[in-house]
Amino acid sequence: MSTFSRLGGLLLAAALPLGAQAELPAERIEPSIHAELAAHTRHFAQQIYRVAGNVHSAVGWQLGNVVMIEAPEGLIIVDTGESVSESRKIMAEFRKLSDKPVKAVVYTHFHPDHINGVQAFVSREQVERGEVHIYAHETLLQNVVAQGALVGPILGVRSAYSFGSFLPASDQEGMNAGIGPLAKAEPSSFIAPTVTFGERLDTRIAGLDVQFLHVPSEAPDEIILYLPDNRVLISAEVDQGPTLPNIHTLRGTRFRDPVQWVESLDKLRAYRAEHMVPLHGRPVSGQDKVEEVLRMTRDGIAYIHDQTVRWMNKGLTPDELVEKVKLPPHLAGYTPYLREYYGTVKHSVRQIYNGYLGWFQGDPVALDPTPPRQQAERLIALAGGREKLLLEAGNAYLKGDYQWAAELAGYAIRVDHDDKLAREIKARSFRKLGYASMNINWRNWYLMSAMELEGKLDGDAIRQRSVEMREVFLSPDMVRSFTPQSFLQNWVTRIDPQKAGDLELTLGFSFPDVDEQWALEVRRGVAQLHKGIPEGTELRLSMDKRFMETLLTGEGGLVKGALLGDVKVEGNLLEIRRFLACFDFADEAFGLTLR
């Protein structure tokens, strides 16, 4: 069947008064990759790069690189990858180069692709015995906790979309992740840092001088290493590697301040290093080349920020800004470091606007808008009904205007999530947009959303993958690093006001093995955490921190713990049960596209 007849059939189907279960003629959209993105995959061919004699960077095994520094008295491992199994392969390659013992591990920041593979290189026992030290910024641990506990459920689902976790092999063949090969999601391993610092640390590790510097940029706790003996700069993700930096990540993150990022890049330039070893992509050698990469990267970020702010100050809104702010040719064409494989100018611009001004753009119509479903119903009526709306969506699809086709079909879906014809138009449009995208994040979101629209992501699959992705951010090893405070602080955002609307009650928590006491107070739908247990508190639970960890991993439960003696209870059991019932710890299965 020709393309014309297939799509002509689509238009005919849209033009007829079809029911919600109508089907479109079959059309096979073959998986493809943007040519430049496909060529970019070669950048991440597996190789151990040797730099300045004693620094070795393993590129191509995982999303993030692992770096081995050979010091006189042992090895320093910088970042550990996202996968223990793949990191073991890297360690086997390193062992071909040196049989020295590992003396230190460095976490350059808290993201999973930089810390999750640690137990491929060292054991917890080695660290506990003091044989190996783990270096990190002083805020890394609190960032790990916030990432895994506070927003773990939504971050798990959004990360699955960003990384294309459900995509079939046909959609991933020959692909890369923009900053490295495709990520290999595994439950994380983790060992807490033993040596932390604030702004700067000059030290000697295994007989080698090492300078650490805090350089907030892609992550708030980002640190770099400089080896003065051979002028090697290990730049972490201040230089994000062979791509336009991801000034904002679509999976969700706190504001990444571009001004701060530019300042950090200028601090790296001040070293005038002879070699630069990023934690994504290949090393760069030669002082002039290192300076060029750093300067161009900082200029790219600065340009996007400065021009966004310039036009913000002339009243432009995000939808207008993304059409106005574009990199000039000398920056946009700086391959590969400013090409839009991972970050994009458009989604960076939106983040900058929101970071400075928030969501409100100045038109009061947005203060209390018509609810989405009601708005869709009215617009469909204005268009002359569902059939005419989908006819126009089909026309847009035929003309290659896939964005408009998806937007129009989206109104019908908002009114009826089961509108099969609308879902198929939108899904096909997303596949066309995804396969044409050079940006890996955009591609994955388009294709994952298409799968959701096509009914290929059911609730059980989403729930299971969400659990798997959460284990990337929050594993039993990470739970060991939770304090009683971080455990209970998570309860505050779990309060259900419908169940706690008339309750005023306080429950005390004692953790005798770590000599800590805390109390949760519920006041009519609001929960507050207090340090210490207020005098007169009648309801109390006492447990060891180790049992608390089983609650976080789902292995234990308070009722079971009370029956088995792991939890000691004081006070009226019915009142304690009433208190606990006010909190919502249920995990929901949800998609992100069907709204």
Side-chain angles (χ1 to χ4, degrees):
M1 181 182 293
S2 70
T3 300
F4 178 81
S5 60
R6 285 199 304 267
L7 296 181
L10 184 153
L11 278 178
L12 177 62
L16 294 174
L18 299 174
Q21 300 305 315
E23 294 185 6
L24 293 175
E27 178 193 10
R28 180 171 178 81
I29 304 175
E30 295 290 344
S32 61
I33 307 172
H34 185 286
E36 187 176 339
L37 180 60
H40 190 53
T41 299
R42 294 194 294 271
H43 188 94
F44 306 110
Q46 288 186 357
Q47 184 173 334
I48 304 291
Y49 290 88
R50 185 176 184 180
V51 179
N54 69 331
V55 179
H56 306 268
S57 180
V59 176
W61 277 266
Q62 303 187 73
L63 183 63
N65 302 340
V66 177
V67 173
M68 178 183 75
I69 303 170
E70 188 171 3
E73 299 165 12
L75 304 178
I76 305 168
I77 302 296
V78 183
D79 283 358
T80 63
E82 76 268 9
S83 158
V84 171
S85 61
E86 289 299 312
S87 287
R88 284 179 177 146
K89 297 175 184 176
I90 292 173
M91 190 58 178
E93 294 297 318
F94 285 162
R95 281 295 174 221
K96 296 175 183 177
L97 304 172
S98 175
D99 60 359
K100 291 181 180 180
V102 175
K103 290 294 186 179
V105 171
V106 178
Y107 298 147
T108 63
H109 58 292
F110 73 100
H111 291 161
D113 53 319
H114 298 264
I115 65 174
N116 281 10
V118 62
Q119 291 189 38
F121 302 98
V122 297
S123 68
R124 185 177 298 279
E125 292 71 26
Q126 286 177 295
V127 175
E128 290 174 349
R129 290 194 299 263
E131 297 171 11
V132 178
H133 291 295
I134 299 181
Y135 292 77
H137 189 257
E138 62 188 7
T139 63
L140 179 134
L141 198 54
Q142 70 188 57
N143 287 324
V144 168
V145 170
Q147 173 181 253
L150 185 63
V151 292
I154 183 62
L155 190 60
V157 177
R158 290 175 66 100
S159 295
Y161 279 65
S162 280
F163 291 116
S165 298
F166 291 92
L167 296 182
S170 58
D171 280 337
Q172 302 209 34
E173 186 176 351
M175 280 297 301
N176 65 81
I179 53 175
L182 297 178
K184 302 168 181 66
E186 290 182 3
S188 56
S189 69
F190 184 69
I191 305 173
T194 58
V195 181
T196 62
F197 65 96
E199 292 307 307
R200 186 184 181 98
L201 175 66
D202 292 355
T203 188
R204 193 168 177 83
I205 304 174
L208 183 70
D209 288 333
V210 180
Q211 297 174 5
F212 292 98
L213 185 67
H214 177 219
V215 277
S217 45
E218 188 261 355
D221 56 355
E222 201 96 30
I223 62 172
I224 57 92
L225 297 77
Y226 182 65
L227 310 180
D229 289 351
N230 50 10
R231 297 173 61 201
V232 173
L233 173 66
I234 301 177
S235 57
E237 279 195 72
V238 188
D239 173 81
Q240 205 171 25
T243 180
L244 179 71
N246 217 14
I247 300 173
H248 175 70
T249 176
L250 298 182
R251 69 179 178 271
T253 187
R254 293 180 177 178
F255 180 60
R256 294 176 175 176
D257 186 346
V259 173
Q260 198 173 53
W261 198 331
V262 167
E263 290 173 354
S264 291
L265 281 161
D266 284 340
K267 289 178 181 178
L268 266 58
R269 294 172 67 200
Y271 283 104
R272 300 184 64 79
E274 183 64 29
H275 307 277
M276 181 172 71
V277 183
L279 273 303
H280 292 287
R282 301 171 181 174
V284 179
S285 287
Q287 182 178 318
D288 289 346
K289 185 62 177 179
V290 171
E291 161 61 16
E292 177 189 291
V293 172
L294 291 173
R295 185 184 68 250
M296 294 292 281
T297 301
R298 68 87 63 204
D299 284 358
I301 296 174
Y303 186 96
I304 295 168
H305 169 269
D306 296 347
Q307 293 307 307
T308 300
V309 172
R310 174 188 171 215
W311 289 105
M312 277 168 46
N313 284 326
K314 295 180 184 293
L316 271 63
T317 63
D319 288 343
E320 296 165 329
L321 287 167
V322 295
E323 299 303 319
K324 179 68 72 171
V325 180
K326 301 179 188 297
L327 288 176
H330 77 284
L331 293 174
Y334 188 59
T335 304
Y337 298 99
L338 292 178
R339 301 296 290 160
E340 296 182 81
Y341 307 120
Y342 198 61
T344 73
V345 176
K346 286 188 173 182
H347 72 244
S348 299
V349 164
R350 293 182 185 279
Q351 190 246 197
I352 293 166
Y353 183 99
N354 195 61
Y356 280 114
L357 299 179
W359 62 269
F360 181 55
Q361 299 177 19
D363 185 347
V365 76
L367 296 177
D368 191 17
T370 304
R373 181 187 174 98
Q374 188 180 43
Q375 180 193 62
E377 289 172 340
R378 292 184 178 185
L379 287 171
I380 290 171
L382 193 64
R386 167 187 174 269
E387 286 72 32
K388 289 188 176 179
L389 177 85
L390 294 184
L391 176 61
E392 186 57 37
N395 269 316
Y397 183 90
L398 261 183
K399 295 173 182 175
D401 191 354
Y402 305 121
Q403 178 65 31
W404 184 232
E407 289 181 20
L408 290 176
Y411 290 120
I413 295 168
R414 193 166 289 162
V415 172
D416 179 6
H417 287 181
D418 295 324
D419 190 325
K420 190 172 182 180
L421 180 58
R423 285 173 62 160
E424 190 156 358
I425 292 173
K426 190 170 184 177
R428 291 187 186 185
S429 297
F430 278 174
R431 287 201 173 275
K432 295 285 190 178
L433 291 167
Y435 291 138
S437 177
M438 188 176 79
N439 183 270
I440 183 64
N441 287 294
W442 288 33
R443 184 182 196 273
N444 285 341
W445 276 88
Y446 282 132
L447 297 182
M448 288 285 292
S449 292
M451 289 183 68
E452 184 183 339
L453 290 160
E454 292 160 351
K456 296 176 181 176
L457 300 182
D458 59 31
D460 290 340
I462 293 174
R463 184 184 293 107
Q464 177 60 31
R465 187 52 57 93
S466 177
V467 169
E468 292 172 2
M469 290 303 297
R470 284 191 67 185
E471 289 178 352
V472 172
F473 296 108
L474 182 62
S475 68
D477 286 327
M478 288 178 174
V479 165
R480 291 188 183 189
S481 302
F482 276 50
T483 63
Q485 179 182 10
S486 58
F487 165 62
L488 292 171
Q489 190 66 50
N490 188 41
W491 290 46
V492 171
T493 58
R494 300 283 191 158
I495 190 76
D496 184 338
Q498 290 187 331
K499 297 177 180 178
D502 61 350
L503 187 69
E504 294 189 5
L505 206 58
T506 299
L507 178 61
F509 291 80
S510 294
F511 302 90
D513 58 332
V514 291
D515 193 26
E516 289 192 31
Q517 290 189 330
W518 297 85
L520 269 174
E521 179 187 1
V522 171
R523 292 191 308 273
R524 302 181 65 183
V526 175
Q528 181 178 355
L529 181 63
H530 300 278
K531 187 173 184 178
I533 300 177
E535 189 174 347
T537 301
E538 297 180 355
L539 306 180
R540 298 176 183 237
L541 300 177
S542 178
M543 70 191 80
D544 284 347
K545 179 179 177 293
R546 287 185 179 180
F547 182 77
M548 177 201 83
E549 293 167 6
T550 70
L551 298 178
L552 279 163
T553 59
E555 302 168 72
L558 285 174
V559 174
K560 180 181 177 182
L563 291 173
L564 296 178
D566 293 314
V567 180
K568 296 179 181 178
V569 181
E570 294 181 37
N572 187 306
L573 287 175
L574 291 178
E575 286 291 278
I576 291 177
R577 184 176 180 181
R578 185 179 173 214
F579 181 95
L580 296 176
C582 293
F583 295 89
D584 176 15
F585 285 98
D587 282 328
E588 304 289 340
F590 56 88
L592 300 174
T593 303
L594 286 172
R595 286 287 186 267

